[in-house]
Amino acid sequence: MSTETVPAGRPADRLRDGDQSVAPASSAAARKAGGFAGWIDDRTSGAKGVNYLLRKVFPDHWSFMLGEIAMYSLIICLITGALLTLWFVPSAGHTVYDGSFVPLRGQMMSEAYASTLNISFDVRGGLIIRQIHHWAALMFIVGLTVHMFRVFFTGAFRKPRELNWVLGTVMALLAIIEGFAGYSLPDDLLSGTGIRAMEGFVQTAPVIGSYLAYAIFGGPFPGQMIIPRLYSAHVLLIPAILVGLFIVHVTMVAVNKHTQYPGPGKTNDNVVGYRVMPVYAAKAGGFFFIVFGVIALISALFTINPIWAYGPYDPSPVTAGSQPDWYMGFADGALRLLPGWLEFEILGFTLSLNIALGALVLLPLVYTLLGVYPFFERWVTGDNREHHLLERPRNNPTRTGIGMAAIVAYSVFMFAAGNDIIAIKLGMSINDITRAFQIGLFVLPPLAFWVTKRICLSLQRHDRDLALHQRESGRIIRGAEGSFHERHDALSEYDRWILVQHDPVAPLELTAEVDENGVARPAARKDRLRAKLSHFYFKDAVNPVTPAELAAAHHDGHHAEALDAEALEAPFDYEGIEGDQDHAPGVGGDGADTEAGASEQGIGSASRLRE
Amino acid sequence: MKALAARRRHPAAIAILLMLGLLVTGFAYAAVAPQPAQAEASTAQDVAAGKQLFQANCASCHGVNAEGRATGNDDKVAGPALAGVGAAAVDFQMGTGRMPMRAPTVQAPRGEVQFTQEQIDQVGAYVASLAPGPAVPSEEDVDASQGDPAKGGELFRVNCAMCHNFAGSGGALTRGKYAPSLMDVEPKHIYEAMDTGPQSMPVFNDGNIAPEEKRDIIAFLKAVEETPNQGGHALGALGPVTEGWFAWFFGLGILIAAAVWLGQKSA
């Protein structure tokens, strides 16, 4: 036997004798956890992504589940919709009904309507599937709307989430178009009336209107084309886009991290919450079943869209109480509010602004304003920082006011769409109701803005008050020397943090309008507008209590009373607080105030920097 | 028979035969001819009693001789002239409690019936005696079981649904007027309303909608009343407004309650 060992394997391996053996990666070993999971991972490398997702931390709050209502309703719509396509016939072809619903037997109708009747009465469980589909569709748009409210009022749309806000806006618009397409499919009297109205809207487009209507309907109304076309839009095109955008939307949430409400331990750089596995997997999964259960229960107990009662579509009749589903109501209401004198005739061509403004302009306008808002606010505030902590609505009174004004304006439009139902149910004159809505459209939103803003400012002052005074116990204590004072219960640090954590704000001040050579700067006009808007947002801002104020308020109860009284009277802009601070050492006049003075100096200069 | 044959040349025979022939023809005609709509022919007493009732209860607005009365305020009338409206209009207005009107509002609402059917018939006889007009329909005219609800439904959607709503739930008209709900209305009143066009309603005479078609419409409305709500509670059968309202208040309300409950369940 030779002393020289002959290495096994290829002869060429001898050339690499000097190599140091590399230990197998420990992570790779760790990955080989489960037999089946390992098998999958070897072929997909999915473990890393799954690990990332399952270990992702999300903050916990009920209002974060509003978007989930929309998400689950969408999923319910997809499931039930797939079932409905098995029986629905998207055709305007004529047929004579001979199904089991006696009051319509022997009637001429389209195959679309006949098949919807069959789903309702002859397919086992068909009616409940139809009703779940429709109720879930309503809840989808209700859910995404309140989700949008939450995101708006808490400022969750701020950097870096502006794009996701825009995505959400696009999805909201797509959702109502998808809803309208579905509402139009069964070809009952109500949905046919909706399509007829839509044709009218399209025709009001200047110049191209009638060509466009002919293109959409493949000829004169109603024709044979519209139902199949709406069908492919409703079951294929729009859902595909919606689901695609939805996946991007949710991925962006994971990438940007979820925002969280302010609180102890929660900063702009962390996310405090639970991991997906197991807590949110259980919570979110459970919530899906709750949403499905509630919608199924409603569908089992309450009729929606009783197409058999509406009867088959025929272009001549129309029924009282013809309304679209609620999410299209605002456009319908706009039509009811627009005065008739907006129709003009120019050189023999009719310009129907009385219809076009409500039907063609309003819808894109609403969604454009929505989509643009984050960029507008960023420009006004000049705030380029990332925000992962949500704002309490009261801490941005102007934005909250704008949001409430927008909701009120939208609601006026929406309620106007039900003016006839309001008239008969309340025994009022429809003319008076319409007039009241017309006036309300201009009066109520500013009023809502003002009231909301005042409420927010009051709440902020109350927060300041609470932070400074702590809780008034209502117990009067007589001192040894005969003086009386009310005992204030201590506020815990955690409770106090919520009241004082937000950033102080001040309006942007106008910078020099001319450059050093006395020449007007080209950007000066833009800056003036920006300063004006910034003033609009922040001129009466109530800023949080500073550490200095707190220290001054707490160091001596008796003196604190005097200080507080003055602080309350003082104007609540940042400058005003600074002025107070200057006064504070005079009241206290002992060692503690030096520190307070110093910290006040720091914050004061910071505020000047911000300006 | 012999006695009868013997007298066949009696001078009175022709007269008697003529009488018999006329009687037979008369009875036969009475049996076959279209019935006058009133179940019982109105008598002079009915007319007299009706006139008394009219003058006591209706004349303050409609005038002592039903000639109508102006308020003196522009061209507004307190009550229109009633010549030619017929017994059907009286039966409808008084039989549904709309007349006597309780207050001068834009429209007389349905209400409690103030008179017995006999009194209403008497007033109807009086008004019908002023000038010919539509009569109260017969039992058969308004028998829902003889109508075709499917055909009636089609007629209803074409002629009635634009004001009364697809399910006869009613709808709004201008300036506080309204088309009332058609649920729980007696068949003959539905018929009379079509025949006489009360308040804001147009007249659907037999040329527009034939009597059998009116019966089909009645059959449809009765079918709507009797059909169970296949989809569950109908939410007033008012269309998408109530559905949207329900989704916002109950659907969202329950789901938010569930979300808050889940949000409180920490790990």
Side-chain angles (χ1 to χ4, degrees):
Chain A
M1 186 171 275
S2 161
T3 50
E4 188 186 15
T5 53
V6 179
R10 297 172 297 172
D13 285 344
R14 293 182 62 183
L15 296 172
R16 303 184 58 176
D17 274 349
D19 285 4
Q20 285 180 336
S21 68
V22 179
S26 59
S27 63
R31 264 199 276 138
K32 299 266 180 276
F36 181 65
W39 188 89
I40 296 278
D41 185 39
D42 285 345
R43 281 148 189 84
T44 61
S45 306
K48 212 174 155 190
V50 171
N51 186 42
Y52 167 80
L53 279 179
L54 294 188
R55 294 164 63 83
K56 188 92 184 144
V57 171
F58 283 97
D60 204 5
H61 193 268
W62 67 266
S63 71
F64 298 156
M65 289 175 153
L66 297 174
E68 283 179 43
I69 295 178
M71 170 165 83
Y72 298 142
S73 301
L74 174 64
I75 293 171
I76 296 167
C77 280
L78 291 173
I79 296 170
T80 51
L83 278 172
L84 291 174
T85 58
L86 301 180
W87 291 284
F88 181 70
V89 183
S91 156
H94 288 275
T95 183
V96 176
Y97 180 68
D98 62 347
S100 56
F101 186 66
V102 177
L104 285 173
R105 234 185 234 171
Q107 295 265 301
M108 285 290 289
M109 57 182 64
S110 66
E111 287 175 313
Y113 184 61
S115 63
T116 315
L117 284 175
N118 283 337
I119 290 172
S120 302
F121 295 113
D122 293 300
V123 174
R124 196 156 295 187
L127 183 55
I128 184 125
I129 297 291
R130 246 198 72 224
Q131 300 211 129
I132 291 176
H133 189 69
H134 206 136
W135 278 120
L138 292 196
M139 288 314 302
F140 171 45
I141 305 178
V142 170
L144 73 82
T145 307
V146 288
H147 171 59
M148 195 161 66
F149 292 168
R150 198 279 294 168
V151 170
F152 182 86
F153 287 117
T154 58
F157 55 78
R158 292 172 297 172
K159 188 181 172 185
R161 296 179 181 79
E162 302 104 314
L163 282 183
N164 224 15
W165 169 266
V166 173
L167 265 185
T169 312
V170 173
M171 280 196 289
L173 179 59
L174 280 176
I176 69 169
I177 296 172
E178 169 75 348
F180 178 79
Y183 166 96
S184 303
L185 281 181
D187 201 31
D188 57 278
L189 188 53
L190 198 56
S191 72
T193 305
I195 298 182
R196 179 56 142 177
M198 186 261 279
E199 190 221 9
F201 301 159
V202 172
Q203 283 179 332
T204 61
V207 186
I208 57 165
S210 44
Y211 301 98
L212 204 59
Y214 262 58
I216 291 172
F217 285 84
F221 180 86
Q224 300 274 325
M225 300 302 295
I226 189 66
I227 290 178
R229 283 181 182 177
L230 282 175
Y231 183 69
S232 59
H234 181 74
V235 306
L236 183 72
L237 188 63
I238 305 176
I241 301 173
L242 258 182
V243 170
L245 291 181
F246 166 73
I247 291 168
V248 179
H249 193 69
V250 172
T251 311
M252 295 266 280
V253 170
V255 170
N256 288 335
K257 296 196 282 297
H258 203 292
T259 50
Q260 57 190 346
Y261 281 101
K266 298 177 179 177
T267 72
N268 216 21
D269 304 315
N270 67 8
V271 179
V272 179
Y274 300 105
R275 294 192 190 284
V276 167
M277 202 67 187
V279 174
Y280 283 109
K283 274 198 175 189
F287 195 49
F288 172 71
F289 289 110
I290 289 176
V291 172
F292 207 153
V294 168
I295 289 177
L297 190 70
I298 289 175
S299 309
L301 296 178
F302 296 95
T303 313
I304 190 163
N305 198 21
I307 49 112
W308 58 89
Y310 296 134
Y313 182 60
D314 168 349
S316 61
V318 114
T319 164
S322 286
Q323 266 98 5
D325 276 343
W326 76 263
Y327 43 83
M328 277 291 185
F330 74 104
D332 186 316
L335 291 177
R336 292 172 193 231
L337 294 188
L338 279 163
W341 50 258
L342 282 171
E343 182 171 289
F344 306 105
E345 208 180 296
I346 302 161
L347 301 173
F349 294 96
T350 307
L351 184 62
S352 293
L353 285 185
N354 55 335
I355 300 171
L357 287 181
L360 299 180
V361 177
L362 181 70
L363 201 115
L365 182 73
V366 165
Y367 285 86
T368 308
L369 288 179
L370 266 178
V372 161
Y373 184 81
F375 304 98
F376 169 75
E377 191 185 292
R378 198 207 61 77
W379 179 72
V380 171
T381 57
D383 184 354
N384 271 319
R385 296 169 300 168
E386 286 205 0
H387 292 279
H388 300 289
L389 275 179
L390 295 172
E391 265 181 310
R392 302 171 81 204
R394 68 183 62 172
N395 288 337
N396 201 326
T398 307
R399 180 206 292 143
T400 306
I402 290 174
M404 284 310 292
I407 290 176
V408 166
Y410 180 93
S411 302
V412 169
F413 278 129
M414 190 171 72
F415 284 112
N419 60 357
D420 54 336
I421 305 289
I422 297 171
I424 47 169
K425 286 295 148 193
L426 299 185
M428 291 160 74
S429 159
I430 194 169
N431 305 59
D432 297 345
I433 293 171
T434 307
R435 179 68 68 204
F437 278 130
Q438 282 173 332
I439 297 167
L441 185 62
F442 294 96
V443 173
L444 293 180
L447 191 70
F449 173 80
W450 184 79
V451 168
T452 309
K453 194 171 168 188
R454 297 326 294 181
I455 291 174
C456 287
L457 291 173
S458 304
L459 286 170
Q460 280 189 297
R461 292 204 178 107
H462 177 253
D463 282 357
R464 273 186 62 88
D465 202 31
L466 193 61
L468 286 170
H469 284 266
Q470 316 213 6
R471 286 188 208 288
E472 293 180 8
S473 67
R475 262 177 293 168
I476 308 294
I477 293 171
R478 193 171 74 171
E481 71 277 27
S483 68
F484 288 94
H485 68 275
E486 184 185 9
R487 191 183 141 184
H488 287 202
D489 288 341
L491 202 63
S492 84
E493 273 181 71
Y494 301 103
D495 290 339
R496 194 176 62 211
W497 175 247
I498 309 267
L499 305 178
V500 300
Q501 46 76 33
H502 53 292
D503 291 330
V505 285
L508 295 170
E509 292 304 328
L510 210 52
T511 44
E513 288 193 26
V514 288
D515 61 15
E516 60 270 24
N517 299 323
V519 180
R521 287 171 53 239
R525 248 175 85 177
K526 230 168 87 184
D527 283 350
R528 245 195 329 264
L529 176 65
R530 195 170 162 188
K532 239 183 208 161
L533 284 168
S534 179
H535 215 66
F536 168 69
Y537 265 78
F538 299 124
K539 66 172 186 294
D540 39 14
V542 175
N543 279 316
V545 175
T546 59
E549 285 175 294
L550 258 186
H554 287 179
H555 98 275
D556 187 316
H558 301 282
H559 293 292
E561 291 297 327
L563 173 75
D564 293 345
E566 227 163 313
L568 278 173
E569 281 160 18
F572 277 94
D573 62 335
Y574 204 79
E575 295 301 322
I577 292 164
E578 254 191 325
D580 257 21
Q581 296 300 307
D582 294 339
H583 191 57
V587 177
D590 60 23
D593 288 317
T594 4
E595 251 181 62
S599 68
E600 162 232 319
Q601 277 301 317
I603 291 167
S605 55
S607 91
R608 273 190 282 278
L609 275 180
R610 275 167 67 71
E611 287 158 24
Chain B
M1 196 60 176
K2 230 174 179 175
L4 201 64
R7 292 198 183 151
R8 70 185 192 274
R9 300 214 185 270
H10 191 277
I14 280 193
I16 290 169
L17 257 179
L18 261 175
M19 287 301 286
L20 272 174
L22 280 172
L23 269 175
V24 168
T25 318
F27 278 112
Y29 179 79
V32 180
Q35 296 284 330
Q38 284 92 338
E40 48 208 89
S42 56
T43 63
Q45 286 118 315
D46 282 343
V47 172
K51 184 167 187 176
Q52 260 189 343
L53 280 167
F54 182 88
Q55 287 179 339
N57 297 289
C58 321
S60 58
C61 296
H62 288 289
V64 179
N65 294 307
E67 75 278 21
R69 208 168 66 74
T71 54
N73 180 11
D74 289 342
D75 52 354
K76 282 181 188 157
V77 289
L82 297 181
V85 301
V90 175
D91 192 55
F92 174 81
Q93 299 283 1
M94 295 179 73
T96 57
R98 288 181 164 82
M99 293 287 154
M101 205 171 171
R102 278 160 293 178
T105 49
V106 282
Q107 183 169 333
R110 203 175 154 188
E112 216 171 295
V113 183
Q114 305 289 329
F115 296 90
T116 64
Q117 188 61 47
E118 194 193 349
Q119 289 171 317
I120 293 170
D121 290 341
Q122 286 168 343
V123 177
Y126 165 66
V127 169
S129 74
L130 300 171
V136 176
S138 71
E139 293 274 322
E140 198 193 338
D141 281 338
V142 299
D143 185 0
S145 64
Q146 294 186 42
D148 174 0
K151 198 157 167 283
E154 196 178 2
L155 287 163
F156 185 86
R157 284 188 287 277
V158 174
N159 294 292
C160 322
M162 69 279 285
C163 298
H164 286 286
N165 155 306
F166 60 91
S169 308
L173 302 175
T174 52
R175 306 217 170 277
K177 291 179 289 233
Y178 59 93
S181 163
L182 302 180
M183 295 297 101
D184 303 318
V185 179
E186 269 188 60
K188 73 166 176 175
H189 292 145
I190 299 174
Y191 191 103
E192 287 161 355
M194 285 188 271
D195 227 7
T196 62
Q199 319 219 12
S200 304
M201 184 165 161
V203 172
F204 294 93
N205 60 31
D206 292 354
N208 300 126
I209 299 180
E212 304 83 60
E213 293 176 330
K214 289 193 174 94
R215 190 165 62 190
D216 291 342
I217 290 175
I218 292 167
F220 167 73
L221 286 170
K222 293 299 142 190
V224 170
E225 270 173 28
E226 284 155 22
T227 320
N229 289 322
Q230 290 91 343
H233 191 283
L235 297 174
L238 288 169
V241 169
T242 41
E243 291 161 8
W245 180 87
F246 190 88
W248 270 96
F249 283 85
F250 288 93
L252 185 65
I254 297 170
L255 289 178
I256 285 186
V260 171
W261 173 71
L262 261 184
Q264 282 174 343
K265 301 249 160 217
S266 284

